[in-house]
Amino acid sequence: MRKLLLPSALVLSLTIAYAARKTTRDSLASAHLPPAAILALQKIDVEHIRAHVRFLSTDLLEGRGTGQRGGDIAAEYIGTQFWLYGLKAAGDSGTFFQKVPMVGVTPTLETSFEFAPNKGDALKLKPLEQYVAYDQTQETSNDIDAEIVYVGYGIEAPEYQWDDYKGVDVRGKVLLMLVNEPTSNDPNFFKGRALTFYGRWVYKYLEAARKGAVGAILIHKSEMASYPWEVVRNSNSGERSLLKTDAPQLKAAGWIQLDVAKRLAQRSGMDLDKMIEEANSSNFHPVTLPVKLKAHMVSKIRPFSSNNIVAMLPGSDPKLKDEAVLYTAHYDHLGIRPDMPGDNIYNGARDNATGCGILLELARVFAQSPARPRRSILFASVTAEEQGLLGSEYLGKHPPIPAGKISLDLNFDDVPPLGSPEETEVVGSERTTFYPTVEAMANQFRLAIRPDSHPEAGHYYRSDHFSLARVGVPAFSINEGMKYKGHNNEWGMKEAEEYTNKHYHQPSDEYSPDMDFTGDAVMARFGLALGWSAASQRALVGWQKGDEFEKARVQAQGSH
Ligand SMILES: [Zn+2]
């Protein structure tokens, strides 16, 4: 079977076909691929992925900022590709574009932010160096003069018998809190070392606003956030986009740097280390500091709309085509920062031109396949991921096919161009009924399933599949693990660490001709095999019993 001159894609797929024939009936049921799918697999071209990544991350695309010209050009490019492939437009009124109404908020230099103790001098903070804060109300100016209440982790989670608020009325207050969640190795307590949604800043701001607080300030500690201050700063400087909303919002949603938090604690006659320690007890009770936040929040407000780019390949089965498998990859990145000296374009080659390249190549081979899966396939390149998963949140709330009829969302975000992977990370897939297929397929692809490399970083809640999970759709990202052909584990881990520390959300996340997209192509083929299977299986994919998203799934499926 093996001819040396065959492209590796063909060898791999023949291997799959061959192995599938030879396996027992049981594993055949979960890993069998029809000939059309194998043909489509073979057509995935690593150089196509490279070409998309290169184009999407050139300086001309200006970092694909949400609501910026570069982001809109990327959207046009992706929509045009979908069109050329012959896919059906699945956006607004017969177009590939799903309009996402947003508001851009830029804090201006008039903004002032200080901690004013009851006695002594105020601590005036320097923007970006010491603090970042956005006014989420979508108003041009707001004044805050409010007591600061330390609320530990700021989490209310009845399922873990945890409540940092203890019923204390925080209306009109500014909440000071820790990022992450109480530390524990007990898998039944906030999923042990793994981070849950409760540990994410998104949750903390939402909960604070829901409780009527006027502000929420997170204390940045690198180990706890699992990313350095530069990431907070780069993600929170310049314009920030919000979904247009009438829901209650914070006048100041921000972060302070660790040293500032230490000084704030000192001025309150407290010790930060002790405060952090106390927050780990379920007996923790909110503490009102003898310090107020006095802030004058002045923002430039720019209403605009951005777009999700959505295409569909209708399924071959007259009934099942009303159901779908969804592929997602965000196209936005951090844009351009004209005020920054030196290289100020956040090209986002890995994050996430790679995912877009994979999505586009998948769209092409699906569209050009002579035979189609029974369910429809949706392709969505979403906007404003870097602004807090906003494009996918909007897509989840306004899906082209009802959420209850979307079997599965497979997401691609930041897939390293490092060569030939021997592992895959499919974190969250084990929580779905689709896992046996994932295991069987990974086996066919000779990919070992690597458990979450950094469960404490809560990656499951940090990319777009999470927005779909929130509306009940079984969803996970497909990525490489740490082990690559010709290298050991440590090499992969060192590469990952170097990327996180030096390039993640930095202007240096740039395309280079020596990048090796073999792994991106493997992930595309693996994703195609998984998606095709889900689109052909008898039943829709669901969550495992008792999973945190099961309720949302039941709701979504009950409503149609
Ligand atoms: Zn990112």
PDB file of all heavy atoms in Angstrom, residues 330 333 351 385-386 504-505, ligand 1:
ATOM      1  N   HIS A 330     -11.945  32.049  15.023  1.00  0.00           N
ATOM      2  CA  HIS A 330     -12.056  33.521  15.015  1.00  0.00           C
ATOM      3  C   HIS A 330     -11.012  34.131  14.082  1.00  0.00           C
ATOM      4  O   HIS A 330      -9.894  33.623  13.974  1.00  0.00           O
ATOM      5  CB  HIS A 330     -11.974  34.099  16.426  1.00  0.00           C
ATOM      6  CG  HIS A 330     -10.594  34.166  17.045  1.00  0.00           C
ATOM      7  ND1 HIS A 330      -9.754  35.243  16.878  1.00  0.00           N
ATOM      8  CD2 HIS A 330      -9.916  33.309  17.854  1.00  0.00           C
ATOM      9  CE1 HIS A 330      -8.631  35.051  17.570  1.00  0.00           C
ATOM     10  NE2 HIS A 330      -8.698  33.869  18.163  1.00  0.00           N
ATOM     11  N   HIS A 333      -7.935  39.778  15.576  1.00  0.00           N
ATOM     12  CA  HIS A 333      -6.851  39.784  16.552  1.00  0.00           C
ATOM     13  C   HIS A 333      -6.824  41.174  17.180  1.00  0.00           C
ATOM     14  O   HIS A 333      -7.868  41.830  17.222  1.00  0.00           O
ATOM     15  CB  HIS A 333      -5.533  39.354  15.909  1.00  0.00           C
ATOM     16  CG  HIS A 333      -4.484  39.002  16.918  1.00  0.00           C
ATOM     17  ND1 HIS A 333      -4.712  38.134  17.955  1.00  0.00           N
ATOM     18  CD2 HIS A 333      -3.191  39.423  17.070  1.00  0.00           C
ATOM     19  CE1 HIS A 333      -3.617  38.030  18.692  1.00  0.00           C
ATOM     20  NE2 HIS A 333      -2.679  38.803  18.182  1.00  0.00           N
ATOM     21  N   ASP A 351      -2.358  33.215  16.233  1.00  0.00           N
ATOM     22  CA  ASP A 351      -3.606  33.535  16.925  1.00  0.00           C
ATOM     23  C   ASP A 351      -4.384  34.563  16.104  1.00  0.00           C
ATOM     24  O   ASP A 351      -4.174  35.735  16.266  1.00  0.00           O
ATOM     25  CB  ASP A 351      -3.270  34.059  18.324  1.00  0.00           C
ATOM     26  CG  ASP A 351      -4.497  34.344  19.161  1.00  0.00           C
ATOM     27  OD1 ASP A 351      -5.610  33.988  18.754  1.00  0.00           O
ATOM     28  OD2 ASP A 351      -4.335  34.958  20.236  1.00  0.00           O
ATOM     29  N   GLU A 385     -13.209  37.716  19.148  1.00  0.00           N
ATOM     30  CA  GLU A 385     -12.857  36.714  20.172  1.00  0.00           C
ATOM     31  C   GLU A 385     -11.982  37.362  21.226  1.00  0.00           C
ATOM     32  O   GLU A 385     -12.166  37.164  22.420  1.00  0.00           O
ATOM     33  CB  GLU A 385     -12.115  35.535  19.520  1.00  0.00           C
ATOM     34  CG  GLU A 385     -11.881  34.345  20.458  1.00  0.00           C
ATOM     35  CD  GLU A 385     -10.554  34.360  21.207  1.00  0.00           C
ATOM     36  OE1 GLU A 385      -9.735  35.275  20.999  1.00  0.00           O
ATOM     37  OE2 GLU A 385     -10.332  33.468  22.023  1.00  0.00           O
ATOM     38  N   GLU A 386     -11.027  38.168  20.743  1.00  0.00           N
ATOM     39  CA  GLU A 386     -10.067  38.781  21.669  1.00  0.00           C
ATOM     40  C   GLU A 386     -10.732  39.811  22.572  1.00  0.00           C
ATOM     41  O   GLU A 386     -10.147  40.261  23.541  1.00  0.00           O
ATOM     42  CB  GLU A 386      -8.918  39.444  20.881  1.00  0.00           C
ATOM     43  CG  GLU A 386      -8.245  38.551  19.845  1.00  0.00           C
ATOM     44  CD  GLU A 386      -7.370  37.458  20.450  1.00  0.00           C
ATOM     45  OE1 GLU A 386      -7.432  37.266  21.682  1.00  0.00           O
ATOM     46  OE2 GLU A 386      -6.653  36.806  19.682  1.00  0.00           O
ATOM     47  N   TYR A 504       2.764  35.418  22.451  1.00  0.00           N
ATOM     48  CA  TYR A 504       1.311  35.386  22.602  1.00  0.00           C
ATOM     49  C   TYR A 504       0.783  36.800  22.851  1.00  0.00           C
ATOM     50  O   TYR A 504       1.227  37.490  23.767  1.00  0.00           O
ATOM     51  CB  TYR A 504       0.934  34.452  23.765  1.00  0.00           C
ATOM     52  CG  TYR A 504      -0.528  34.460  24.133  1.00  0.00           C
ATOM     53  CD1 TYR A 504      -1.480  33.952  23.261  1.00  0.00           C
ATOM     54  CD2 TYR A 504      -0.959  34.977  25.350  1.00  0.00           C
ATOM     55  CE1 TYR A 504      -2.830  33.957  23.603  1.00  0.00           C
ATOM     56  CE2 TYR A 504      -2.303  34.980  25.701  1.00  0.00           C
ATOM     57  CZ  TYR A 504      -3.234  34.474  24.825  1.00  0.00           C
ATOM     58  OH  TYR A 504      -4.565  34.490  25.166  1.00  0.00           O
ATOM     59  N   HIS A 505      -0.142  37.246  21.987  1.00  0.00           N
ATOM     60  CA  HIS A 505      -0.707  38.599  22.072  1.00  0.00           C
ATOM     61  C   HIS A 505       0.360  39.695  22.031  1.00  0.00           C
ATOM     62  O   HIS A 505       0.238  40.730  22.677  1.00  0.00           O
ATOM     63  CB  HIS A 505      -1.591  38.748  23.321  1.00  0.00           C
ATOM     64  CG  HIS A 505      -2.920  38.072  23.152  1.00  0.00           C
ATOM     65  ND1 HIS A 505      -4.017  38.366  23.909  1.00  0.00           N
ATOM     66  CD2 HIS A 505      -3.329  37.126  22.283  1.00  0.00           C
ATOM     67  CE1 HIS A 505      -5.049  37.610  23.524  1.00  0.00           C
ATOM     68  NE2 HIS A 505      -4.638  36.844  22.534  1.00  0.00           N
TER      69      HIS A 505
HETATM   70 ZN    ZN B   1      -5.897  35.465  21.263  1.00  0.00          ZN
END
